[in-house]
Amino acid sequence: MEVRAVARFVRVSPRKARIVVDLIRGKSVAQAQEILAFTNRGIVETVEKTLNSAVANAEHNNQLNPSTLFVKAAYVDEGPTLKRIRPRAKGSASRIRKRTSHITIVVAPREEA
């Protein structure tokens, strides 16, 4: 039984968010929370909030024990890009792309073999 949580339209570029999400993929929830606590990136708060939401969904909706959960999948998709214009020399303009991300974290209980 997998449970997921999605944070949509997060105002950070997907490339920056993937750096943090790659750190926690495949780890246990406790280990992932520990890694996020000591990672010095701006997006960490949002990733941690999404991870905690996935754990709460698993605990509340599916009665799963949080200590047995691990991060089965974690990925970042590109959201819509806000396009802005910056004035440049000689009356020209350049485009500024303000990128957004959709962060998805899937947790599942680890099967004991």
Side-chain angles (χ1 to χ4, degrees):
M1 166 85 36
E2 353 181 292
V3 183
R4 70 186 195 127
V6 182
R8 300 190 67 206
F9 306 106
V10 179
R11 265 290 291 123
V12 68
S13 110
R15 186 174 175 180
K16 292 178 182 177
R18 283 184 190 118
I19 293 170
V20 174
V21 168
D22 289 343
L23 295 173
I24 64 169
R25 191 177 297 117
K27 307 281 194 296
S28 70
V29 169
Q31 195 175 7
Q33 288 171 334
E34 196 173 302
I35 289 169
L36 292 174
F38 292 103
T39 303
N40 191 17
R41 291 279 183 162
I43 191 62
V44 165
E45 291 175 10
T46 307
V47 173
E48 190 171 23
K49 193 173 177 181
T50 308
L51 176 63
N52 291 339
S53 178
V55 171
N57 289 343
E59 190 176 7
H60 183 264
N61 299 341
N62 300 88
Q63 288 74 40
L64 296 173
N65 186 1
S67 61
T68 63
L69 297 175
F70 78 106
V71 180
K72 183 171 184 178
Y75 52 90
V76 178
D77 295 323
E78 191 170 335
T81 301
L82 304 173
K83 293 164 182 88
R84 301 292 181 258
I85 301 251
R86 175 142 183 102
R88 305 304 290 204
K90 299 182 180 177
S92 70
S94 66
R95 170 126 339 142
I96 295 176
R97 291 181 301 277
K98 295 180 179 266
R99 299 183 186 273
T100 61
S101 304
H102 301 318
I103 301 169
T104 305
I105 297 180
V106 179
V107 295
R110 195 176 295 279
E111 286 89 22
E112 300 298 324

